[in-house]
Amino acid sequence: MTTFRGFRVAALTAVSLLALSAGANAQVTLNVVTAGDQNMVDYVIDFLGPKFEAKNPGVKVRAIGTGPGDAGSQAVFEKLKAQKSQDKWDVDVAVVHQVIAGPMLKEELLENYTGKIESGKLATRDSAKNALGANVQGYVMPMFNSQIAIAYNPDMVKDVPTTYQALADWAKANPKKFGYNGIKGGMSGVGFVTGWIYAFAPNGLATTTAYDANAKAGWKDALAGLKEFNKNATITPGNAGTLDMLGRGEIAMGPVWVDMFYSWMADGKISPKTKLVLLGPGMPGQPMYYTLPAKAAHKDIALKFIDFAASPEIQAEGIVKRFNWYPGIDAQYVQKSLDQKTWDKLFTDVTPADLAAKGKTFPVAAHLKEIQESYEANVTQ
């Protein structure tokens, strides 16, 4: 997933967030602050902002990036919290990761708004309601959904595993031909490990809905199985490393972010014959969220902006076609705005039904931390 590929922090104080002077002829400047990589900022500057401005004369959209990874979202959180006592805030729309949505709600920094926009009813996946265990329904609108899946070379994998158990059996029969990046080389590896807990730990999927302090005590056998699995796996240097080794034929399978997979394919870095499969009982993915700060200076325009950004037409052209992300709203609403070639590319290997059945959220934040700590303590030792 693009937004987890690094952890470089660009502090809000280092950018021109507070430079609220409008463009030369604009009556209103709408400040859209986004966590994530530079492509998140570029998306607003090059595509979304100009289209919104064309439909709303007198409005200038200003995009400000706060840096990739959770740190970028933390910077947005700290900025809004610092302004909490003021009557008006200078962030009109904030785009953040799941991890910070709950804390923002707890500090009463967000407006409950999705019921006020037309597109609000078009997003029904769990990720529109639950952010790592926090109930965020009404307060967030997914900008896109990024998904982890298993990429494989069909020339090397004839009997394609469709479950974690089948994959474990395949890896045992094909030593070192499955590769992933552990938990320190990128979130696709963390997602794979999380899916392993879903598959093999008692009540593993329950970690997505509520925190249970006793849950990790039941992970012993699952972690022992993963340690054994790793003897037959290749540990890659990162998200890109997995794709790189797959492209060179050094491994036959590995977990990847779907958007990154298709971007590499479009750039000719991996064979167009390479395919995807989503393992059961499920693999995690996650969205970025559009949020509306509770005291946004231009709240009415911000609502129009988010509604526009989440509309089927913009989701189709901007999110799916330009970035290969899955749409933030339900795919069925986007299909009519996509050509058949684009639809087939994104939904042939992993279908909307696959996503509905096997596209899981990451677990409650405390469990996600415990899973990574348990991996370090029990699998890598």
Side-chain angles (χ1 to χ4, degrees):
M1 177 187 183
T2 306
T3 52
F4 274 103
R5 288 174 193 159
F7 292 89
R8 178 176 55 84
V9 180
L12 277 175
T13 52
V15 297
S16 56
L17 173 62
L18 298 179
L20 288 173
S21 58
N25 300 310
Q27 299 168 6
V28 173
T29 296
L30 190 76
N31 287 312
V32 179
V33 178
T34 176
D37 279 348
Q38 182 60 37
N39 62 357
M40 298 282 289
V41 180
D42 293 343
Y43 175 66
V44 180
I45 292 175
D46 298 335
F47 176 78
L48 192 55
K51 284 188 172 295
F52 185 74
E53 290 168 358
K55 287 183 171 290
N56 296 273
V59 176
K60 175 69 177 177
V61 176
R62 185 197 305 277
I64 304 109
T66 60
D70 293 347
S73 288
Q74 183 68 28
V76 178
F77 172 73
E78 292 172 359
K79 172 63 179 173
L80 293 178
K81 190 175 177 181
Q83 295 187 90
K84 194 172 179 179
S85 62
Q86 299 178 17
D87 292 336
K88 295 291 182 183
W89 302 344
D90 55 11
V91 179
D92 296 304
V93 176
V95 184
V96 298
H97 299 86
Q98 279 190 304
V99 70
I100 210 66
M104 291 177 84
L105 236 68
K106 189 175 181 180
E107 288 289 337
E108 300 180 337
L109 300 178
L110 300 181
E111 178 92 359
N112 188 323
Y113 76 93
T114 62
K116 302 174 184 177
I117 59 177
E118 187 66 25
S119 60
K121 61 188 177 186
L122 305 182
T124 63
R125 286 183 60 167
D126 288 347
S127 57
K129 308 168 188 172
N130 185 299
L132 307 185
N135 181 359
V136 294
Q137 188 168 10
Y139 293 87
V140 303
M141 190 73 197
M143 175 184 182
F144 61 82
N145 283 295
S146 195
Q147 178 66 46
I148 295 168
I150 301 295
Y152 67 93
N153 181 339
D155 291 335
M156 300 172 71
V157 183
K158 300 301 182 184
D159 188 12
V160 182
T162 57
T163 66
Y164 267 88
Q165 182 59 62
L167 174 66
D169 295 340
W170 185 91
K172 189 173 182 179
N174 298 273
K176 302 301 180 183
K177 292 302 181 184
F178 176 86
Y180 79 108
N181 50 356
I183 62 165
K184 290 187 174 179
M187 283 299 290
S188 62
V190 175
F192 175 76
V193 171
T194 300
W196 185 281
I197 294 296
Y198 293 163
F200 295 114
N203 301 315
L205 280 167
T207 61
T208 64
T209 56
Y211 180 72
D212 177 359
N214 297 317
K216 66 178 181 181
W219 300 347
K220 183 178 177 180
D221 290 345
L223 293 167
L226 186 53
K227 186 172 185 175
E228 190 66 24
F229 173 85
N230 274 7
K231 293 177 181 177
N232 295 314
T234 295
I235 300 300
T236 69
N239 296 319
T242 301
L243 280 165
D244 197 32
M245 293 183 74
L246 186 68
R248 293 200 301 264
E250 295 173 18
I251 59 174
M253 306 180 74
V256 299
W257 288 106
V258 172
D259 64 292
M260 195 172 177
F261 170 84
Y262 282 118
S263 294
W264 275 56
M265 186 176 286
D267 292 341
K269 296 179 180 178
I270 57 175
S271 167
K273 294 193 302 182
T274 313
K275 299 182 70 65
L276 295 170
V277 62
L278 196 56
L279 297 179
M283 303 186 75
Q286 66 174 8
M288 291 290 285
Y289 289 139
Y290 288 114
T291 64
L292 178 62
K295 295 183 181 178
H298 305 107
K299 195 172 291 184
D300 289 345
I301 299 174
L303 280 170
K304 290 182 67 175
F305 178 84
I306 298 173
D307 199 20
F308 177 74
S311 65
E313 296 78 14
I314 293 298
Q315 288 275 302
E317 183 181 355
I319 296 298
V320 178
K321 294 191 73 171
R322 288 174 70 96
F323 281 96
N324 299 309
W325 286 318
Y326 290 116
I329 61 176
D330 297 357
Q332 68 202 64
Y333 302 114
V334 178
Q335 185 173 12
K336 66 180 180 182
S337 298
L338 286 174
D339 59 85
Q340 193 63 42
K341 182 179 178 182
T342 301
W343 175 265
D344 289 345
K345 181 184 75 173
L346 204 57
F347 292 107
T348 294
D349 290 347
V350 179
T351 67
D354 288 333
L355 285 173
K358 303 176 185 175
K360 307 301 182 187
T361 63
F362 276 98
V364 172
H367 278 314
L368 181 58
K369 183 180 179 182
E370 288 175 348
I371 289 171
Q372 294 175 75
E373 291 173 345
S374 297
Y375 183 96
E376 282 288 287
N378 297 280
V379 178
T380 62
Q381 298 302 313

